[in-house]
Amino acid sequence: MTHEEILQGLYDHTLVGHAPEVKDLVNQGLADNLDPEKMLYDALIPSLEEVGARFERGDFFVPEMLIAARAMQGALDILRPLLAETGAKPVGTYVMGTVKGDVHDIGKNLVNIMLEGAGFTVYDLGVNVAPEKFVEQVQEHEPDIVGFSAFLTTTMPMFKANINALEKAGIRDHVIVMVGGAPVTQEYADAVGADGYAADASTAVRLAKDLIERKRSAVPA
Ligand code: B1M
């Protein structure tokens, strides 16, 4: 198979949730030196975008979204160590979770993989994380950054609820707050008082490093 055929196969099989075929194609791609990031950005993510578009049009329903997501997750399980393999020096600590009421986690997991690859220690709180849990985990790990992911317009308001909870606990100024997720915008992030917003995983990593650097250089010696 050519690289183009593998990528097309990954796109097509993810779209219809054929998890075994997706795994086989990922392994075949790796055996044939196909770049893991190319598989991710040129086939797997576009396929999930098409799943979302079909869902919006009413051509797909939740079960179809779910099996496509499972196929994607199988691919990520194989790609994870390769995407995270950089040997980077530790740069900071990150507490990350998907907000309360929201169970989407593929995007969050991808951001975590990239953060780990860049040298961050990541504490992943999973999905449907309540504000109190974020507060408790920030108090326990004292991270440089806490990240909130939201993938639904109905769960985005949890950013503000989480920030309010950090304020109430007296720790808002101790931690950088980053937000992200498909429906989130820079304007929304600014409106809720987040310190940073990124549209995708690689921007999230760049911004995380930048925000830490800015915070460290702002601290008087
Ligand atoms: Co749902 N879903 N879903 N879904 N789902 C979306 C998000 C949707 C856009 C589909 C659509 O209508 N086009 C839509 C939301 C509409 C809206 O509110 N604007 C939607 C809906 C409506 C729903 C339900 C309500 C459906 C229902 O039940 N009627 C339901 C909600 C359940 C809940 O959470 N309470 C639901 C359920 C599900 C499944 C469980 C079936 C499944 C999730 C499985 C899982 O995640 N384990 C699912 C899926 C798979 C999707 C789509 C198709 C794919 C999501 C995905 O993984 N994308 C999605 C459509 C779409 O996104 N186009 C959709 C790939 C991923 C790599 O991208 O998630 O954007 P993304 O992550 C990016 C960036 O956002 C960013 O970096 C990531 C990597 O580049 N990023 C950050 C993420 N977090 C960040 C944090 C940061 C910075 C950047 O800093 C902290």
Side-chain angles (χ1 to χ4, degrees):
M1 269 179 122
T2 65
H3 283 187
E4 275 318 306
E5 283 166 341
I6 293 174
L7 293 174
Q8 187 63 48
L10 281 173
Y11 180 94
D12 293 340
H13 285 294
T14 304
L15 192 60
V16 289
H18 290 163
E21 285 82 353
V22 171
K23 274 190 181 174
D24 286 349
L25 283 165
V26 169
N27 284 327
Q28 209 170 319
L30 292 177
D32 203 31
N33 292 323
L34 182 50
D35 181 5
E37 294 208 15
K38 207 166 166 52
M39 291 195 250
L40 188 60
Y41 291 109
D42 291 359
L44 297 165
I45 291 181
S47 184
L48 275 196
E49 276 162 11
E50 176 58 20
V51 170
R54 289 188 185 194
F55 176 78
E56 252 173 79
R57 292 200 302 267
D59 295 335
F60 271 16
F61 298 94
V62 172
E64 281 97 341
M65 274 210 289
L66 200 53
I67 58 168
R70 286 208 187 118
M72 167 78 162
Q73 255 150 357
L76 275 187
D77 287 345
I78 304 172
L79 293 176
R80 183 181 193 108
L82 299 161
L83 294 167
E85 192 178 76
T86 65
K89 285 200 203 104
V91 290
T93 312
Y94 211 110
V95 164
M96 173 77 109
T98 298
V99 300
K100 188 173 173 183
D102 202 320
V103 303
H104 294 85
D105 68 354
I106 296 173
K108 166 186 70 64
N109 295 345
L110 200 49
V111 176
N112 288 346
I113 291 172
M114 298 298 187
L115 284 168
E116 282 166 6
F120 280 88
T121 302
V122 179
Y123 297 96
D124 181 5
L125 310 186
V127 298
N128 194 21
V129 182
E132 311 80 62
K133 180 82 180 169
F134 277 115
V135 168
E136 177 203 300
Q137 293 292 307
V138 168
Q139 282 167 333
E140 182 175 336
H141 300 295
E142 299 182 345
D144 297 289
I145 304 182
V146 59
F148 307 137
S149 285
F151 303 91
L152 300 166
T153 39
T154 50
T155 57
M156 280 163 53
M158 288 312 297
F159 291 157
K160 187 70 194 151
N162 290 341
I163 290 172
N164 287 346
L166 292 173
E167 272 166 7
K168 204 169 156 208
I171 52 174
R172 170 64 185 95
D173 294 338
H174 301 186
V175 67
I176 296 164
V177 172
M178 274 182 68
V179 296
V184 185
T185 60
Q186 182 68 57
E187 290 68 34
Y188 192 83
D190 292 342
V192 296
D195 301 311
Y197 154 77
D200 57 55
S202 38
T203 316
V205 172
R206 264 202 314 277
L207 181 64
K209 285 182 175 170
D210 192 41
L211 288 170
I212 289 182
E213 216 162 280
R214 272 191 258 162
K215 187 164 183 183
R216 286 181 185 162
S217 59
V219 175

